[in-house]
Amino acid sequence: MMVLKFGGTSVGSADRIKKVASLVTEGEEKLVVLSAMSSTTNSLVKIANYLFEKKNDLAAQLIEGLRLQYFSVVKELFEKASSQEKMKELINSHFDFLTGFTQDSFTIHEEKAVLAQGELISTALLHYYLEEHGVQSCLLPALQFMRIDKDLEPDHYYIKENLSRLRKEHGECKLYITQGFICRNAYGEIDNLKRGGSDYTASLVGVALEADEVQIWTDIDGMHNNDPRVVEETNPIKQLSFDEAAELAYFGAKILHPSSILPAKNANIPVRLKSTLSPSSPGTLITKNADGGGVKAIAAKDGINAIKINSGRMLLAYGFLRKVFEIFELYKTPIDMITTSEVAVSVTIDDATQLKNIQQELEKYGAVEVDTDQTIICVVGDFIKNEKGIAADILDKLRTIPIRMISYGGSNHNISFLINTSDKEKALKSLNQLF
Ligand code: ADP
Ligand code: ASP
Ligand code: MG
């Protein structure tokens, strides 16, 4: 069994959907996970915001614009008039659901249901396109098997049991299709796995199905060694270990959802990154062990807040760090980086929703300083054990950039720096000379 996930660009037009159909039709048994067509989820976020702000006219305008866009996709994708009619009806049912909120009440609880429409539509488009061309596929509704628990963590047992139940109900089927991103929460409400979450769906179903491989098909030929949105000369990396890929995903390589590697790593399922624009390119293979030492890749994560707690004598006392960490635990805020000195400790967080509360609690233990608009630059490779002088080479490239924090030695494959976001471009370009 293979799991193939296609992202927004890969299903972003009628032509692209046809291309996906051609990639999934032949070969062994597979489950195809689809994202919403590109920019749909952004539009749905806007619609939900307008509805929340009671700007119902603006929401209605956006909904009708999107409805027309989907009508033109249907016209291009389907040949038979009967298929076009059937699909228009289906599109209408989704858009009438959205329009309903502009005429009636809308609460923030319904936001996730609005955001779910993109994946529900894209999967229906592929399923019925295949049907029109005589290819049998089975649509497995993600809302009937993907679930997160009350801590917003995937409920692996529920996912496995229900996915297997749904497959049995379908009987013989070689090609399954399901929605990425969307799920239900512990209360049975529609929820999602956060933006970009279709990659996470793919690895979770890959684990549940004990798949041979999870393939993430996107608009670029694999994980590049630097951020292609910022640096011009970047190259795809042939092989990465799960740990290296997880670090890059977590620290800003947008090609993968930050949580998507861990389930595959735990189940030892290879993850392959491929391009729908260039299917014959080898892409990147992510497995337990990967070849190659030295610096492999660089990523950057913006929107970081650095918090420094100056605590003089207290810092050296045992139990002090535990007290500090407990505050972050209380407010369910993960720490990304940490550095300590005799008189102060600095940590970084990217989720600032509880920053004020955290700051208030920390002030009981010392003077607290917060720096916003920070970026973590993460250099990934297999270097600490094997090669001398690499840290010096890396630092040399950052010679002209003020560095707020350095984290080295936490693992064998990551050196991270905290810098001002305004220096990010310069840092990434300069570090690119390492390749
Ligand atoms: P999809 O819609 O298929 O999920 P995404 O936009 O989420 O695609 O991810 C692919 C994009 O990730 C690429 O177009 C690229 O701009 C961006 N990206 C950022 N860092 C990297 C990197 N290190 N390697 C490859 N792509 C990257
Ligand atoms: N459609 C969702 C998003 O845009 C999920 C995904 O594309 O992975 O965030
Ligand atoms: Mg993505």
Side-chain angles (χ1 to χ4, degrees), residues 208-416:
L209 296 170
E210 295 170 24
D212 300 310
E213 188 169 298
V214 171
Q215 297 188 344
I216 307 288
W217 288 77
T218 181
D219 58 0
I220 189 162
D221 55 350
M223 178 72 80
H224 277 224
N225 54 6
N226 205 334
D227 193 326
R229 296 166 297 181
V230 181
V231 179
E232 269 165 34
E233 281 163 25
T234 64
N235 289 301
I237 307 163
K238 281 204 175 71
Q239 272 193 310
L240 281 172
S241 68
F242 287 123
D243 289 339
E244 290 165 345
E247 300 266 18
L248 290 168
Y250 190 76
F251 287 111
K254 186 182 175 246
I255 185 168
L256 282 173
H257 180 281
S259 310
S260 58
I261 290 298
L262 190 64
K265 178 190 167 183
N266 290 341
N268 198 18
I269 297 175
V271 177
R272 201 182 288 271
L273 310 180
K274 296 276 290 173
S275 166
T276 26
L277 307 178
S278 158
S280 56
S281 303
T284 300
L285 180 63
I286 302 164
T287 52
K288 193 167 167 206
N289 300 309
D291 295 343
V295 174
K296 276 194 171 174
I298 298 154
K301 185 175 178 180
D302 296 331
I304 303 293
N305 304 279
I307 307 168
K308 186 193 282 169
I309 308 129
N310 287 282
S311 197
R313 297 155 295 124
M314 273 170 77
L315 194 79
L316 283 180
Y318 54 81
F320 175 73
L321 284 177
R322 179 177 52 76
K323 285 183 198 146
V324 167
F325 288 145
E326 268 171 3
I327 294 168
F328 290 88
E329 191 182 348
L330 179 69
Y331 291 103
K332 294 198 164 143
T333 302
I335 292 171
D336 288 330
M337 256 176 104
I338 165 160
T339 53
T340 59
S341 84
E342 205 162 297
V343 290
V345 52
S346 276
V347 300
T348 70
I349 58 171
D350 70 341
D351 178 358
T353 35
Q354 299 291 341
L355 183 56
K356 282 275 160 291
N357 290 326
I358 290 171
Q359 195 171 344
Q360 251 176 19
E361 295 276 339
L362 288 173
E363 272 160 4
K364 292 180 192 159
Y365 299 109
V368 178
E369 285 168 49
V370 175
D371 292 321
T372 55
D373 298 323
Q374 302 289 296
T375 290
I376 295 177
I377 302 285
C378 169
V379 182
V380 161
D382 187 6
F383 37 76
I384 294 182
K385 246 193 316 197
N386 303 324
E387 294 184 43
K388 293 196 184 97
I390 288 231
D393 286 348
I394 295 169
L395 273 166
D396 188 51
K397 298 288 176 276
L398 297 173
R399 180 187 291 274
T400 60
I401 294 168
I403 299 173
R404 164 79 172 75
M405 284 167 73
I406 301 179
S407 166
Y408 178 76
S411 77
N412 284 348
H413 40 75
N414 174 345
I415 304 178
S416 297

Side-chain angles (χ1 to χ4, degrees), residues 60-275:
Q61 262 175 37
L62 210 50
I63 294 168
E64 291 320 309
L66 205 54
R67 190 194 302 253
L68 293 180
Q69 275 179 34
Y70 274 96
F71 282 170
S72 69
V73 171
V74 165
K75 205 169 157 206
E76 242 188 280
L77 193 57
F78 294 89
E79 281 161 26
K80 294 185 201 143
S82 58
S83 310
Q84 290 192 6
E85 271 322 298
K86 181 166 93 179
M87 286 315 292
K88 272 186 155 180
E89 249 178 64
L90 192 130
I91 300 286
N92 274 332
S93 70
H94 289 279
F95 283 91
D96 292 349
F97 169 76
L98 295 176
T99 307
F101 293 119
T102 66
Q103 292 152 358
D104 212 332
S105 69
F106 173 80
T107 67
I108 199 66
H109 300 294
E110 281 138 344
E111 185 207 8
K112 305 283 175 65
V114 168
L115 265 52
Q117 301 310 308
E119 272 71 13
L120 292 170
I121 298 175
S122 64
T123 45
L125 287 171
L126 178 66
H127 173 69
Y128 289 111
Y129 173 78
L130 289 168
E131 185 185 79
E132 192 181 57
H133 291 267
V135 179
Q136 193 215 356
S137 69
C138 301
L139 205 47
L140 302 178
L143 296 178
Q144 290 180 25
F145 69 86
M146 276 310 283
R147 193 162 84 163
I148 47 174
D149 63 20
K150 57 178 179 14
D151 297 319
L152 310 183
E153 291 297 327
D155 185 338
H156 296 282
Y157 180 77
Y158 183 96
I159 296 167
K160 194 176 171 96
E161 289 293 301
N162 285 282
L163 191 51
S164 135
R165 175 181 58 78
L166 286 171
R167 279 181 71 199
K168 279 193 198 118
E169 281 172 18
H170 274 286
E172 275 291 293
C173 191
K174 274 192 80 181
L175 176 57
Y176 298 97
I177 300 174
T178 195
Q179 298 83 23
F181 178 56
I182 64 175
C183 62
R184 287 197 188 269
N185 60 27
Y187 312 100
E189 299 156 340
I190 296 180
D191 212 316
N192 61 55
L193 302 175
K194 307 225 173 86
R195 294 304 306 272
S198 299
D199 304 328
Y200 199 16
T201 304
S203 64
L204 292 171
V205 297
V207 171
L209 296 170
E210 295 170 24
D212 300 310
E213 188 169 298
V214 171
Q215 297 188 344
I216 307 288
W217 288 77
T218 181
D219 58 0
I220 189 162
D221 55 350
M223 178 72 80
H224 277 224
N225 54 6
N226 205 334
D227 193 326
R229 296 166 297 181
V230 181
V231 179
E232 269 165 34
E233 281 163 25
T234 64
N235 289 301
I237 307 163
K238 281 204 175 71
Q239 272 193 310
L240 281 172
S241 68
F242 287 123
D243 289 339
E244 290 165 345
E247 300 266 18
L248 290 168
Y250 190 76
F251 287 111
K254 186 182 175 246
I255 185 168
L256 282 173
H257 180 281
S259 310
S260 58
I261 290 298
L262 190 64
K265 178 190 167 183
N266 290 341
N268 198 18
I269 297 175
V271 177
R272 201 182 288 271
L273 310 180
K274 296 276 290 173
S275 166

